[in-house]
Amino acid sequence: MPRQMRAQAHCIDGVLDVDWDISPIEDMFFIRDATTERISYNEQLRKLARNCLTRVDPGFPLKVRQGDILVGNRGVGWGHGHDHAALALKAVGIGAVLCETTGVNFKRNCINHGLPLIEIPGIFSRVTTGDTLEIDLDGGIVRNLSSGFKLQFVTYPEFILRILDAGGIYEQMRNEVENENISARQMEGVL
């Protein structure tokens, strides 16, 4: 995941509940049951993407381009700690979430799936749908290139940025295990 990104904003006002607004609870059950029914991971992602935020905006999945930015007000990711909502946002193509406030579980789930979520007071009133935003994760700056304003935010610590760089904690762990296995195989030939 790039530490600097530029994309179009999609603004959605109101509390966005994990199991109702962002991704219907039925999709969480679908994902849970998918392993026993042998539904591929890619098909699971397609299902999540098809229903992402459709209870708020029925056409949302058709409007998003890969890497676009969701801008929310207060209460983005409200509710349960189910991670299917973060996965749905990533599956539909959202590259980052900017909001006034969020829940700690939703924020962590987004990071775990490689989706930056940044709380920035004042962001919702400074962005409209269609604005081009630029995010600098290292510098802690969001620029609205359409209106010219800039807001600063507290940057993530380096270990979180490395998780995001890898595409999420699961990818980071997979890469680390793979690298350890390669090193172990290389050492077998030396000893």
Side-chain angles (χ1 to χ4, degrees):
M1 193 219 74
R3 290 191 180 184
Q4 295 183 349
M5 56 192 88
R6 179 184 294 186
Q8 182 180 22
H10 297 273
C11 299
I12 298 181
D13 197 4
V15 172
L16 296 179
D17 185 271
V18 166
D19 294 329
W20 180 259
D21 302 306
I22 298 174
S23 184
I25 189 73
E26 297 83 11
D27 284 0
M28 185 193 74
F29 296 135
F30 171 80
I31 298 300
R32 181 194 64 195
D33 297 339
T35 53
T36 58
E37 296 176 20
R38 299 185 184 266
I39 297 170
S40 75
Y41 182 70
N42 287 332
E43 181 56 34
Q44 293 174 45
L45 293 179
R46 282 192 290 277
K47 168 104 170 152
L48 289 172
R50 273 194 306 270
N51 294 325
C52 185
L53 286 164
T54 55
R55 288 184 172 160
V56 178
D57 177 356
F60 185 78
L62 301 174
K63 297 173 185 176
V64 177
R65 292 181 307 219
Q66 193 64 37
D68 279 355
I69 300 164
L70 175 65
V71 180
N73 206 338
R74 292 183 165 83
V76 172
W78 189 258
H80 291 96
H82 304 143
D83 73 338
H84 72 289
L87 199 53
L89 288 170
K90 192 167 180 182
V92 80
I94 293 296
V97 178
L98 306 177
C99 61
E100 301 279 337
T101 62
T102 188
V104 67
N105 289 333
F106 183 67
K107 186 174 189 175
R108 192 65 209 181
N109 285 335
C110 285
I111 292 168
N112 286 346
H113 286 291
L115 182 65
L117 186 151
I118 303 162
E119 292 178 274
I120 309 174
I123 189 72
F124 193 77
S125 65
R126 306 297 298 268
V127 178
T128 58
T129 295
D131 286 354
T132 300
L133 303 181
E134 188 175 75
I135 303 171
D136 180 352
L137 292 175
D138 285 322
I141 297 171
V142 173
R143 288 183 180 85
N144 185 330
L145 302 178
S146 300
S147 68
F149 91 88
K150 149 177 116 169
L151 285 174
Q152 291 192 282
F153 60 89
V154 177
T155 60
Y156 284 123
E158 186 61 31
F159 80 96
I160 298 287
L161 289 172
R162 284 195 304 271
I163 291 171
L164 293 170
D165 288 342
I169 198 162
Y170 308 107
E171 286 299 316
Q172 183 185 41
M173 289 170 37
R174 185 176 297 124
N175 293 340
E176 288 176 7
V177 167
E178 188 175 288
N179 289 338
E180 285 181 25
N181 288 339
I182 290 170
S183 296
R185 285 194 299 267
Q186 289 171 341
M187 289 304 291
E188 287 174 7
V190 173
L191 297 177

